[in-house]
């Protein structure tokens, strides 16, 4: 089969489906169905939600119940078994619990077992890797689990450093990655965005945040917590300039850490993003957890117009008393 | 007439080659372009209800600036850039989903799947691409747009579009286990 043939057929189907749009074709300014008017729809939100909130949790996948926080995990033995590669569609092996998912994931990665990782991952699972060396951070990789061949990765093993943190369907694990010298051990977090399927839990997306472990560059926990709380307070008070004042001039705002393209670098770009997207408030729902030079904080974002809440996780890298990275994960 | 500089969502959008012509009635533009905008948003967001909201939002943004946008040589290109950006933003998608949900609440159920398994798999694979590759591929297949038209809609150079299309098509062929070239 040819890609263009497939693409043309898929495009035709989308056009056909779109031609049956629910919105009647009327230009703004002309008469439109009441709830098709954004202002009216948003005004009606409170009423509808007050009456029909339970409905949200029935008819939308993102309204599902929240995972129970895990307790502890242990690191898996590192092996040097030869990796396996296959191009066949992998059989999925969803985990029954988040603990099982985390344990099976690290077992697969430490064994460099491509099939096992693919079996634990949704087909569209993307995984980004952000690495800080000294005072510079960058997105080092943006891969798809189903395509990735771990035999090409020089990683020698991952150690889970402590309890993992759960917020909504986002699991954050403090980790240490061991690479050959001169890189050595890099410390930070893995973030797994869990996807619920009929048979259990899969990895829907992932991010890894690693930094060299220079003690002189690790932020003081109390100062770091005060900084991110000040940033949050400014954001919730609609004080975008105040929020920007807590960030470095070259700060990276990462809208969705499973998507390497959803980034905004520098004050101007971050200001633009905040200005465009300031329709929600953020509440930290747990204490910050530190791993190396990163801070993870469970959160709930609430869309102001609808009061709909979304649990997720914020990741920060603090550099010289300012936020140099703010990344976010939420189950899609 | 000199260059017309427009701004959407704080982002400078310039079109340096406007033409002097009469302003097309917005109703006519809307009727012609809205289904195409829904298609783009649908392909990139994966949800038809949210796609309609995103397309509507893009149309409202276009309407607000219609006296300027309507004079551009290709006002549809400007509107496409708005919907591409809206559909690419996870926050905007979620906001649109929330609005669509409110609209659909009385229906008490999800709409049925409307794409075949083959088409669904194709667009899921497109959405797994990095954002700009997904946008370029979507315009390429849905609109059969030229590289120049895609560059205009995405606000980038034609060479950049070629690179996005090349990488995106390569990745799609690999993931879908099909041949890249016809």
């Amino acid at each position: 089969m040819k890609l263009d043939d497939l693409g043309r057929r898929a495009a035709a189907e989308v056009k056909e489906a779109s031609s049956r749009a629910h919105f009647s074709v009327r230009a703004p300014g002309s008469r439109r169905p009441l709830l098709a008017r954004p202002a009216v729809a948003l005004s009606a939100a409170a009423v509808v939600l007050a009456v029909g909130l339970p409905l949200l949790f029935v008819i939308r996948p993102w309204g599902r119940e929240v995972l129970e926080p895990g307790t502890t995990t242990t690191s898996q033995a590192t092996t040097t078994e030869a990796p396996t590669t296959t191009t066949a569609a992998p059989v999925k092996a969803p985990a029954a619990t988040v603990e099982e998912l985390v344990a099976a994931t690290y077992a697969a990665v430490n064994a460099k077992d491509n099939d096992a990782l693919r079996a634990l991952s949704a087909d569209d699972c993307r995984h980004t890797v952000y690495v800080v060396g000294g005072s510079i951070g960058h997105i080092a990789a943006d891969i798809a689990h189903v395509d990735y061949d771990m035999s090409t990765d020089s990683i020698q093993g991952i150690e889970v450093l402590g309890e993992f943190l759960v917020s909504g369907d986002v699991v954050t694990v403090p980790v240490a990655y061991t690479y050959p010298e001169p890189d050595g051990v890099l410390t930070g977090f893995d973030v797994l965005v869990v996807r619920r399927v009929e048979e259990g839990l899969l990895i829907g997306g992932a991010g890894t945040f690693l930094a060299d472990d220079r003690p002189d560059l690790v932020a003081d926990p109390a100062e770091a917590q005060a900084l991110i709380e000040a940033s949050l307070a400014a954001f919730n008070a609609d004080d975008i300039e105040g929020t920007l004042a807590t960030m470095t001039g070259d700060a990276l705002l990462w809208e969705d850490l499973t998507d390497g393209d959803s980034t905004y670098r520098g004050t101007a770009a971050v200001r633009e993003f905040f200005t465009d997207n300031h329709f929600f408030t953020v509440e930290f729902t747990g204490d910050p957890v530190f791993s190396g030079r990163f801070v993870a904080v469970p959160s709930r974002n609430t869309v102001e117009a609808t009061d709909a809440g979304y649990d997720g996780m914020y990741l920060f890298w603090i550099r010289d008393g300012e936020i140099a990275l703010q990344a976010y994960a939420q189950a899609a | 007439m000199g260059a017309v500089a427009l701004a959407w969502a704080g982002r400078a959008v310039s079109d340096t080659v406007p033409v002097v012509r009469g302003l097309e009635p917005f109703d006519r533009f809307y009727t012609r372009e809205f289904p195409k905008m829904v298609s783009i948003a649908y392909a990139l967001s994966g949800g038809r209800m949210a796609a309609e909201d995103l397309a509507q939002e893009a149309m409202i943004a276009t309407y607000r600036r219609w006296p300027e946008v309507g004079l551009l040589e290709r006002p549809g290109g400007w509107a496409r850039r708005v919907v591409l950006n809206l559909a690419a933003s996870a926050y905007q998608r979620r906001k649109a989903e929330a609005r669509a949900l409110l609209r659909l609440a009385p229906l008490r159920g999800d709409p049925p799947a409307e794409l075949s398994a083959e088409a669904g798999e194709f667009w899921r694979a497109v959405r797994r691409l990095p954002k700009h590759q997904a946008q370029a591929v979507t315009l390429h297949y849905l609109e059969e747009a030229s590289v120049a038209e895609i560059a205009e809609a995405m606000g980038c150079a034609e060479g950049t579009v070629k690179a996005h299309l090349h990488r995106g098509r390569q990745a799609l062929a690999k993931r879908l286990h099909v041949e890249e070239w016809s």
Side-chain angles (χ1 to χ4, degrees):
Chain A
M1 188 187 298
K2 304 288 196 294
L3 179 63
D4 283 345
D5 296 336
L6 180 57
R8 276 191 284 268
R9 285 200 298 273
E13 288 194 30
V14 163
K15 288 183 204 172
E16 170 60 24
S18 301
S19 71
R20 299 192 296 271
H22 274 57
F23 271 126
S24 56
V25 180
R26 289 192 184 92
S30 58
R31 287 189 63 195
R32 294 164 45 212
L34 189 63
L35 282 177
R37 300 176 197 172
V40 176
L42 292 177
S43 301
V47 175
V48 174
L49 281 169
V51 178
L53 189 62
L55 193 61
L56 297 178
F57 295 87
V58 174
I59 68 176
R60 291 303 297 181
W62 41 257
R64 54 201 173 274
E65 64 176 346
V66 172
L67 294 171
E68 288 299 317
T71 49
T72 57
T73 58
T74 54
S75 60
Q76 304 296 322
T78 301
T79 76
T80 54
E81 287 179 6
T84 55
T85 342
T86 178
T87 54
V91 175
K92 296 300 176 192
T97 65
V98 68
E99 287 83 0
E100 276 184 25
L101 183 67
V102 171
T105 299
Y106 288 108
V109 175
N110 278 325
K112 295 202 172 185
D113 184 340
N114 292 327
D115 284 345
L117 185 63
R118 289 168 187 160
L120 291 163
S121 304
D123 283 342
D124 59 350
C125 173
R126 295 202 70 84
H127 190 149
T128 57
V129 181
Y130 185 85
V131 176
V132 175
S135 60
I136 297 173
H138 70 288
I139 297 175
D142 181 355
I143 60 176
H145 274 192
V146 291
D147 294 337
Y148 194 55
D149 180 359
M150 286 188 280
S151 68
T152 63
D153 196 318
S154 61
I155 184 173
Q156 294 175 324
I158 305 174
E159 182 183 2
V160 176
L161 299 176
E163 294 183 2
F164 56 75
L165 195 61
V166 177
S167 178
D169 281 347
V170 181
V171 183
T172 304
V173 189
V175 287
Y177 278 54
T178 301
Y179 288 95
E181 294 299 335
D183 296 321
V185 176
L186 302 179
T187 307
F189 287 106
D190 279 333
V191 181
L192 305 179
V193 177
V194 175
R195 181 169 309 163
R196 290 169 182 271
V197 294
E198 196 173 331
E199 301 82 7
L201 309 177
L202 291 174
I203 307 169
T208 293
F209 295 79
L210 298 171
D212 53 45
D213 228 353
R214 287 177 48 181
D216 57 318
L217 295 177
V218 176
D220 175 77
E223 290 177 8
Q225 183 167 354
L227 176 70
I228 57 179
E229 286 178 353
S231 183
L232 173 77
F235 182 81
N236 285 340
D238 293 339
D239 180 5
I240 291 174
E241 293 307 314
T243 310
L244 292 170
T246 64
M247 307 176 84
T248 63
D250 64 348
L252 184 72
L253 181 77
W254 198 345
E255 180 185 0
D256 172 4
L257 60 80
T258 65
D259 176 1
D261 264 353
S262 64
T263 57
Y264 303 85
R265 166 79 72 181
T267 301
V270 175
R271 177 186 290 114
E272 178 184 319
F273 177 83
F274 281 153
T275 303
D276 292 350
N277 293 283
H278 202 283
F279 59 87
F280 62 96
T281 56
V282 182
E283 173 193 3
F284 289 154
T285 54
D287 292 331
V289 174
F290 296 80
S291 181
R293 291 160 68 181
F294 297 97
V295 188
V297 195
S299 66
R300 166 162 280 223
N301 289 359
T302 302
V303 177
E304 292 167 349
T306 63
D307 276 342
Y310 304 92
D311 290 321
M313 193 78 68
Y314 280 91
L315 267 288
F316 298 95
W317 164 39
I318 312 296
R319 186 184 73 201
D320 298 330
E322 294 178 311
I323 295 168
L325 167 74
Q326 178 173 321
Y328 180 66
Q330 174 184 297
Chain B
M1 182 183 290
V4 177
L6 302 167
W8 168 73
R11 194 181 309 250
V13 179
S14 300
D15 188 316
T16 55
V17 283
V19 294
V20 180
R21 59 177 173 78
L23 192 63
E24 179 185 21
F26 185 78
D27 277 8
R28 191 187 304 165
F29 170 83
Y30 186 96
T31 303
R32 183 181 68 246
E33 296 291 337
F34 183 72
K36 300 174 187 174
M37 308 273 279
V38 174
S39 296
I40 294 169
Y42 186 13
L44 286 171
S45 72
R48 188 160 70 81
M49 299 301 107
E52 291 172 19
D53 263 322
L54 293 169
Q56 186 77 349
E57 196 166 329
M59 278 298 186
I60 289 169
T62 307
Y63 177 68
R64 286 188 182 131
R65 295 181 179 276
W66 187 242
E68 302 159 276
V69 176
L71 291 173
L72 299 177
E73 187 176 8
R74 285 181 293 274
W78 191 90
R80 275 163 184 69
R81 195 187 303 188
V82 178
V83 83
L84 284 174
N85 281 304
L86 289 172
S89 163
Y91 282 121
Q92 296 291 350
R93 285 200 306 272
R94 285 170 195 136
K95 190 165 63 166
E97 283 169 2
R99 281 202 306 260
L101 177 61
L102 290 172
R103 217 173 55 248
L104 289 173
L107 301 180
R108 295 181 180 273
D110 277 335
E114 293 178 304
L115 301 185
S116 66
E118 179 189 74
E121 184 183 15
F122 177 84
W123 291 114
R124 275 192 297 278
V126 169
R127 290 192 292 275
R128 279 168 48 201
L129 296 171
K131 179 172 77 179
H132 293 122
Q133 292 177 27
Q135 291 177 340
V137 167
T138 297
L139 292 174
H140 173 72
Y141 283 113
L142 265 184
E143 303 243 295
E144 299 179 13
S146 68
V147 168
E149 289 166 336
I150 296 172
E152 181 188 19
M154 293 179 62
C156 62
E158 292 185 21
T160 308
V161 169
K162 287 177 185 171
H164 288 323
L165 278 175
H166 176 67
R167 292 185 192 127
R169 286 169 49 86
Q170 269 189 332
L172 278 181
K174 184 177 175 187
R175 286 173 191 163
L176 296 168
H177 306 288
V178 297
E179 296 174 45
E180 183 180 352
W181 298 107
S182 298

